[in-house]
Amino acid sequence: MLQIGWIRKLYRMYGCSLFLIIACLAACSNPEVKTTPQKIDYIRAIPGKNDSIPVAIAQKGEVLIAYSDCYTCHKEDRKSIGPAFKDIAKRYPVQRVFIDMLAQKVISGGKGAWGSATMSDHPKVPIEDAKVMVSYILSLK
């Protein structure tokens, strides 16, 4: 009689252990889930009519940018630390309000408009030079 009670306890112990092992394996298993990443609109173009930019202003802006540190974080046609100049041109219409806003952003810096990258401030850049530089960037449409 004593042996039968001991055998029952042994079966219960092994049964519980087996149940716990199966439960842990089921909980820890990581079935491969295939998901397709959603395409995020990186540019989010702002609708609006484009004004014209005089060629002389665009050329002067190109020179000012060449002599600045802009190319440290930006490239003309591909994303680097910051957005590509051509992507900036695709987002913003050529309008005085956007030229003024972006020129101010060049001077004071900013964050969040293009993801997590931070635009460093350039307080020594005169506002008129910043507007000419932005005009060149927006002329790259």
Side-chain angles (χ1 to χ4, degrees):
M1 188 79 148
L2 186 60
Q3 260 186 340
I4 294 175
W6 183 78
I7 292 174
R8 285 183 183 160
K9 285 184 181 179
L10 191 61
Y11 276 128
R12 281 188 206 145
M13 186 175 73
Y14 282 126
C16 288
S17 298
L18 184 61
F19 175 75
L20 287 174
I21 290 171
I22 291 172
C24 286
L25 288 175
C28 294
S29 69
N30 187 10
E32 188 176 324
V33 177
K34 293 185 178 183
T35 59
T36 15
Q38 287 185 340
K39 179 82 171 157
I40 297 173
D41 186 9
Y42 169 72
I43 297 173
R44 294 186 319 265
I46 298 170
K49 182 181 166 210
N50 289 311
D51 298 333
S52 63
I53 296 174
V55 174
I57 297 291
Q59 289 173 338
K60 183 178 179 185
E62 184 177 19
V63 171
L64 288 171
I65 285 176
Y67 281 102
S68 72
D69 66 344
C70 296
Y71 287 117
T72 304
C73 298
H74 299 277
K75 304 298 177 221
E76 192 167 302
D77 56 358
R78 63 181 165 86
K79 183 180 182 307
S80 181
I81 295 170
F85 287 151
K86 287 186 177 181
D87 289 344
I88 296 169
K90 287 178 188 174
R91 177 180 281 185
Y92 297 101
V94 181
Q95 296 176 3
R96 176 62 46 201
V97 66
F98 292 112
I99 291 172
D100 293 344
M101 180 199 69
L102 293 171
Q104 191 58 47
K105 189 168 275 202
V106 167
I107 294 169
S108 61
K111 182 178 181 177
W114 293 91
S116 61
T118 301
M119 168 86 167
S120 60
D121 61 337
H122 300 85
K124 294 183 181 179
V125 175
I127 188 71
E128 289 307 315
D129 286 355
K131 288 178 183 181
V132 171
M133 294 163 84
V134 168
S135 295
Y136 163 70
I137 293 168
L138 295 183
S139 75
L140 296 173
K141 291 190 178 303

